[in-house]
DNA sequence: AATTAACTTAGTGTTTTACTCGGTAATTAA
DNA sequence: TTAATTACCGAGTAAAACACTAAGTTAATT
């Protein structure tokens, strides 16, 4: 498993889609502006997401992107694996030095951990995140008093 | 949270320490050979681990490294944070565009997820991994029959 | 004094990031 | 039919991160 800022970009972009894609397709320009990601970089990410059928593109004016599946059928692991490319855990998969030695044990421990992380992220869907986030939005909106948020415009 | 091969190196190295550091200190040369990591790179990683007191070095002949704390008090998150440097999640922490807008919501969803991953890895200690791995070792040793493992040599 | 092994610093080739730029293809509105 | 819009595609690129080499210094053991 691998989790970099690239994966973060993909997840936040997909979250954006999940939140805004209800009424119609969402353009990459919108996401670019919303999330502060360059348009071309988004195009690269979405090429990978499209290859895995996680999004569906619609060309022409009024076009944009939809989720490729319902939000509750897209896990975080799906998204990260699409853009971040699964890396080989260990180098000794079936190699000659894997005969119950110390090295093999350490590596199998890492494999176990890696699988645990993967399973964990497989259980979390976009829909889960959105649902959990919307609950908290209430709390967020009701704390206007705190900090006053620099309304310096007038 | 960030999880790269660098973090993997650190975790496997620490696992090596947890497994072999019972009777005495473990040298970086040993770990280098066991795990297939270059000595100098290990030295860099261990400089970071030592700064966080996750390991303790002993100089001179017969020296090496010990765990800085008992294995059940060292979490995977501790290790990864030591070498992988915590990255900023969102760019809008307290920025002007965080007034309940769409962007803020997406980012707070990412923050939630990131915290979940962190909490998950905080709950897993080196001791947990070792204990769980030793259980499976029995199974591993008793499945000689399966797959035959390409003993093509003769 | 010689050896061991931790510690430190500098440098280096490779890969990954995140991006710009230039274009093509499909769809819509005029 | 033409122009605008948006997805789609590929090459190139500066900067960072990765993983490593090299060449030392310091502290401990023999």
């Amino acid at each position: 498993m691998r989790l970099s800022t690239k994966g973060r970009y993909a997840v936040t972009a997909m979250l954006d889609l999940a939140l805004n894609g209800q009424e119609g397709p969402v353009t990459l320009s919108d996401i670019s502006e919303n999330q502060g990601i360059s348009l071309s970089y988004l195009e690269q990410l979405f090429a990978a997401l499209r290859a895995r059928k996680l999004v569906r593109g619609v060309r022409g004016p009024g076009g944009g992107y939809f989720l490729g599946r319902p939000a509750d059928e897209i896990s975080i692991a799906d998204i990260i694996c699409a853009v971040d490319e699964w890396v080989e855990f260990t180098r000794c998969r079936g190699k000659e030095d894997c005969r119950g030695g110390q090295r093999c044990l350490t590596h199998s421990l890492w494999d176990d951990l890696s699988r645990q992380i993967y399973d964990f992220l497989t259980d979390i869907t976009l829909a889960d995140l959105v649902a959990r986030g919307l609950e908290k939005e209430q709390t967020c909106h009701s704390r206007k008093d705190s900090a006053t948020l620099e309304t310096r415009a007038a």
Side-chain angles (χ1 to χ4, degrees), chain A residues 18-79:
Chain A
L19 288 166
N20 297 358
Q22 310 290 13
E23 290 97 37
V26 182
T27 69
L28 291 188
S29 300
D30 288 341
I31 299 179
S32 172
E33 202 170 344
N34 281 342
Q35 306 302 328
I37 313 171
S38 93
L39 182 57
S40 284
Y41 196 42
L42 274 177
E43 282 172 342
Q44 283 181 34
L45 295 179
F46 273 70
L49 294 171
R50 194 162 34 80
R52 306 292 186 101
K53 312 263 189 194
L54 296 180
V55 296
R56 181 169 50 88
V58 179
R59 295 193 187 193
Y65 278 97
F66 287 105
L67 289 181
R69 301 195 291 262
D72 60 351
E73 293 176 19
I74 298 179
S75 75
I76 305 303
D78 288 335
I79 299 169

Side-chain angles (χ1 to χ4, degrees), chain A residues 57-119:
Chain A
V58 179
R59 295 193 187 193
Y65 278 97
F66 287 105
L67 289 181
R69 301 195 291 262
D72 60 351
E73 293 176 19
I74 298 179
S75 75
I76 305 303
D78 288 335
I79 299 169
I80 291 174
C81 286
V83 299
D84 250 339
E85 219 73 17
W86 194 270
V87 281
E88 268 304 309
F89 312 129
T90 61
R91 306 173 181 177
C92 64
R93 281 221 165 283
K95 287 274 177 61
E96 81 286 348
D97 32 65
C98 266
R99 37 197 171 192
Q102 194 63 65
R103 178 175 181 178
C104 179
L105 176 56
T106 316
H107 284 178
S108 83
L109 292 181
W110 170 260
D111 280 352
D112 285 347
L113 173 63
S114 193
R115 186 178 309 268
Q116 283 182 52
I117 298 173
Y118 177 77
D119 288 344

